[in-house]
Short mmCIF file of all heavy atoms in Angstrom, two decimals:
data_model
loop_
_atom_site.label_atom_id
_atom_site.label_comp_id
_atom_site.label_asym_id
_atom_site.label_seq_id
_atom_site.Cartn_x
_atom_site.Cartn_y
_atom_site.Cartn_z
N ASP B 516 13.82 61.90 86.88
CA ASP B 516 12.66 61.56 87.60
C ASP B 516 12.90 60.99 88.98
O ASP B 516 12.14 61.33 89.88
CB ASP B 516 11.84 60.55 86.80
CG ASP B 516 11.54 61.10 85.36
OD1 ASP B 516 10.42 61.74 85.22
OD2 ASP B 516 12.41 60.90 84.48
N PHE B 517 13.92 60.22 89.14
CA PHE B 517 14.24 59.67 90.50
C PHE B 517 14.50 60.68 91.54
O PHE B 517 14.40 60.45 92.72
CB PHE B 517 15.31 58.58 90.43
CG PHE B 517 16.74 59.28 90.25
CD1 PHE B 517 17.40 59.80 91.29
CD2 PHE B 517 17.33 59.34 88.94
CE1 PHE B 517 18.70 60.41 91.10
CE2 PHE B 517 18.61 59.90 88.79
CZ PHE B 517 19.18 60.46 89.86
N ALA B 518 14.88 61.92 91.04
CA ALA B 518 15.23 62.99 91.99
C ALA B 518 14.01 63.86 92.38
O ALA B 518 14.20 64.91 92.89
CB ALA B 518 16.39 63.85 91.36
N SER B 519 12.80 63.28 92.15
CA SER B 519 11.59 64.02 92.51
C SER B 519 11.52 64.20 94.00
O SER B 519 11.99 63.34 94.83
CB SER B 519 10.32 63.16 92.06
OG SER B 519 10.34 63.14 90.65
N ILE B 520 10.98 65.31 94.45
CA ILE B 520 10.89 65.68 95.83
C ILE B 520 9.56 65.29 96.54
O ILE B 520 8.52 65.76 96.03
CB ILE B 520 11.14 67.23 96.04
CG1 ILE B 520 12.49 67.64 95.40
CG2 ILE B 520 11.08 67.62 97.54
CD1 ILE B 520 13.77 66.96 95.89
N HIS B 521 9.66 64.55 97.53
CA HIS B 521 8.58 64.04 98.27
C HIS B 521 8.40 64.82 99.64
O HIS B 521 9.34 65.41 100.06
CB HIS B 521 8.69 62.53 98.59
CG HIS B 521 8.89 61.74 97.42
ND1 HIS B 521 7.92 60.89 96.92
CD2 HIS B 521 9.94 61.61 96.50
CE1 HIS B 521 8.39 60.28 95.84
NE2 HIS B 521 9.55 60.74 95.56
N SER B 522 7.23 64.75 100.23
CA SER B 522 6.98 65.45 101.48
C SER B 522 7.41 64.65 102.59
O SER B 522 6.98 63.52 102.93
CB SER B 522 5.46 65.70 101.62
OG SER B 522 5.16 66.13 102.99
N ALA B 523 8.45 65.26 103.38
CA ALA B 523 8.87 64.53 104.59
C ALA B 523 7.87 64.46 105.65
O ALA B 523 7.74 63.61 106.51
CB ALA B 523 10.11 65.19 105.13
N GLU B 524 6.97 65.60 105.70
CA GLU B 524 5.96 65.71 106.72
C GLU B 524 4.89 64.55 106.55
O GLU B 524 4.54 63.89 107.47
CB GLU B 524 5.20 67.08 106.54
CG GLU B 524 4.33 67.29 107.76
CD GLU B 524 3.33 68.34 107.56
OE1 GLU B 524 3.33 69.00 106.47
OE2 GLU B 524 2.51 68.76 108.46
N TYR B 525 4.57 64.32 105.26
CA TYR B 525 3.56 63.26 104.99
C TYR B 525 4.21 61.90 105.32
O TYR B 525 3.61 61.10 106.01
CB TYR B 525 3.38 63.29 103.43
CG TYR B 525 2.40 62.29 102.85
CD1 TYR B 525 1.27 61.81 103.53
CD2 TYR B 525 2.65 61.79 101.57
CE1 TYR B 525 0.43 60.99 102.96
CE2 TYR B 525 1.80 60.83 100.95
CZ TYR B 525 0.67 60.41 101.70
OH TYR B 525 -0.23 59.57 101.13
N ALA B 526 5.53 61.72 105.02
CA ALA B 526 6.18 60.46 105.40
C ALA B 526 6.24 60.27 106.92
O ALA B 526 5.95 59.08 107.33
CB ALA B 526 7.63 60.44 104.80
N ASP B 527 6.58 61.22 107.60
CA ASP B 527 6.59 61.18 109.07
C ASP B 527 5.19 60.84 109.63
O ASP B 527 5.05 59.94 110.53
CB ASP B 527 6.98 62.53 109.71
CG ASP B 527 8.46 62.81 109.44
OD1 ASP B 527 9.21 61.89 109.08
OD2 ASP B 527 8.87 63.91 109.57
N LYS B 528 4.17 61.52 109.07
CA LYS B 528 2.73 61.10 109.65
C LYS B 528 2.41 59.66 109.29
O LYS B 528 1.85 58.99 110.18
CB LYS B 528 1.77 62.00 108.91
CG LYS B 528 1.73 63.42 109.60
CD LYS B 528 0.46 64.11 109.17
CE LYS B 528 0.45 65.46 110.05
NZ LYS B 528 -0.51 66.41 109.52
N MET B 529 2.71 59.25 108.11
CA MET B 529 2.26 57.86 107.83
C MET B 529 3.20 56.85 108.53
O MET B 529 2.65 55.78 108.97
CB MET B 529 2.57 57.65 106.22
CG MET B 529 1.61 58.37 105.38
SD MET B 529 -0.22 57.91 105.72
CE MET B 529 -0.79 59.59 106.23
N MET B 530 4.39 57.15 108.85
CA MET B 530 5.28 56.23 109.60
C MET B 530 4.71 56.21 110.99
O MET B 530 4.65 55.05 111.54
CB MET B 530 6.70 56.83 109.68
CG MET B 530 7.62 55.97 110.33
SD MET B 530 7.86 54.29 109.55
CE MET B 530 9.24 54.59 108.52
N ALA B 531 4.23 57.32 111.55
CA ALA B 531 3.75 57.38 112.97
C ALA B 531 2.43 56.52 113.00
O ALA B 531 2.13 55.90 114.09
CB ALA B 531 3.54 58.79 113.37
N ALA B 532 1.65 56.59 111.89
CA ALA B 532 0.36 55.90 111.89
C ALA B 532 0.53 54.45 111.59
O ALA B 532 -0.48 53.67 111.47
CB ALA B 532 -0.56 56.55 110.84
N GLY B 533 1.81 53.96 111.31
CA GLY B 533 2.03 52.59 110.96
C GLY B 533 1.61 52.23 109.55
O GLY B 533 1.46 51.03 109.27
N THR B 534 1.53 53.13 108.62
CA THR B 534 1.13 52.91 107.31
C THR B 534 2.13 53.60 106.37
O THR B 534 1.73 54.26 105.44
CB THR B 534 -0.30 53.47 107.03
OG1 THR B 534 -0.40 54.85 107.39
CG2 THR B 534 -1.43 52.67 107.71
N ALA B 535 3.41 53.33 106.53
CA ALA B 535 4.42 54.05 105.83
C ALA B 535 4.30 53.90 104.37
O ALA B 535 4.55 54.81 103.60
CB ALA B 535 5.81 53.50 106.28
N GLU B 536 3.86 52.67 103.88
CA GLU B 536 3.79 52.38 102.43
C GLU B 536 2.75 53.37 101.70
O GLU B 536 2.74 53.39 100.42
CB GLU B 536 3.66 50.93 102.13
CG GLU B 536 2.37 50.33 102.66
CD GLU B 536 2.40 50.10 104.16
OE1 GLU B 536 3.44 50.03 104.83
OE2 GLU B 536 1.27 49.91 104.68
N VAL B 537 1.90 53.90 102.48
CA VAL B 537 0.78 54.77 101.80
C VAL B 537 1.51 55.91 101.05
O VAL B 537 0.90 56.35 99.95
CB VAL B 537 -0.16 55.33 102.86
CG1 VAL B 537 -1.03 56.41 102.38
CG2 VAL B 537 -1.05 54.13 103.48
#
Side-chain angles (χ1 to χ4, degrees):
Chain B
D516 303 270
F517 72 80
S519 295
I520 303 299
H521 302 252
S522 164
E524 188 193 4
Y525 181 36
D527 289 344
K528 277 197 174 162
M529 292 300 120
M530 184 64 94
T534 53
E536 61 288 342
V537 169

